[in-house]
Amino acid sequence: MNLILLGPPGAGKGTQAEILSKRLGIETISTGVMLRTAIREGTELGTMAQEYINAGKLVPDDVVVGIVKERLSKDDCKKGFILDGFPRTTAQAEALEQAGVRIDKVLSLEVSDETIIERLSGRRECKDCGTPYHVVYKPSANGDKCQVCGGPLIQRADDNEETVKNRIQVYHEQTEPIKEFYQKQGKVVVAHGREELADTTREVAKALGLE
């Protein structure tokens, strides 16, 4: 199965990608990892990407799509793949199609904006040992101190409410239109992100026809 995972930040795409990867025996492909690998291996496209990054510019869609296509042509993707974090725009989805990359299904993992804000803005981590917490779902028994080492609990800068709202807005404006692009091709299936991981995993499996 050649699969794209769509969903707002904090929807749980990474976790579901990991579960599906093990269940289906296919690779999860992350754009960030792909770019870094192409640069490290010194491929022609990797060198081009490095030049843009060094100049502080965004890597153009055609270069990113080229790197994606290059990665998907490797033997470990012959049985299928999961694309997580790509495409991010309709232009990238169109470029992927023009490059001849076949997509079987697009899984849209849907969670309300309010839930995403609560999930992400409630995350905390220990400044000293990095143990993760959540003010609602996994509070520390020691209040604002880590129950492992006693260090102070902090909120990451990209988890503050204003930043989370901005990230959600960018998703709605830039990435959500991809759903419409693939809906016209009859490839979109929908699963709702639930509070319990097992419930979300069950919904995902049902949406993909795995149960």
Side-chain angles (χ1 to χ4, degrees), residues 90 177-188:
T90 306
I178 297 171
K179 195 163 86 170
E180 196 179 331
F181 174 81
Y182 285 112
Q183 265 170 341
K184 288 173 182 169
Q185 301 176 21
K187 293 179 178 176
V188 176

Side-chain angles (χ1 to χ4, degrees), residues 115-132:
T115 302
I116 293 290
I117 291 165
E118 182 185 61
R119 273 188 193 176
L120 296 189
S121 63
R123 292 197 298 201
R124 299 290 184 272
E125 64 180 40
C126 174
K127 188 179 178 184
D128 296 337
C129 73
T131 301

Side-chain angles (χ1 to χ4, degrees), residues 180-201:
E180 196 179 331
F181 174 81
Y182 285 112
Q183 265 170 341
K184 288 173 182 169
Q185 301 176 21
K187 293 179 178 176
V188 176
V189 293
V190 174
H192 293 92
R194 304 296 181 190
E195 201 167 305
E196 295 295 328
L197 174 60
D199 294 337
T200 304
T201 303

Side-chain angles (χ1 to χ4, degrees), residues 75-138:
D75 287 345
D76 61 354
C77 292
K78 291 281 190 284
K79 283 169 62 182
F81 54 80
I82 300 165
L83 278 179
D84 179 15
F86 188 87
R88 286 185 185 273
T89 62
T90 306
Q92 288 179 346
E94 288 168 349
L96 202 60
E97 193 170 71
Q98 284 158 14
V101 176
R102 179 179 58 82
I103 299 298
D104 297 317
K105 286 186 180 175
V106 176
L107 173 71
S108 180
L109 190 55
E110 302 191 353
V111 181
S112 72
D113 290 357
E114 294 75 22
T115 302
I116 293 290
I117 291 165
E118 182 185 61
R119 273 188 193 176
L120 296 189
S121 63
R123 292 197 298 201
R124 299 290 184 272
E125 64 180 40
C126 174
K127 188 179 178 184
D128 296 337
C129 73
T131 301
Y133 295 93
H134 193 282
V135 294
V136 177
Y137 306 116
K138 193 191 171 188

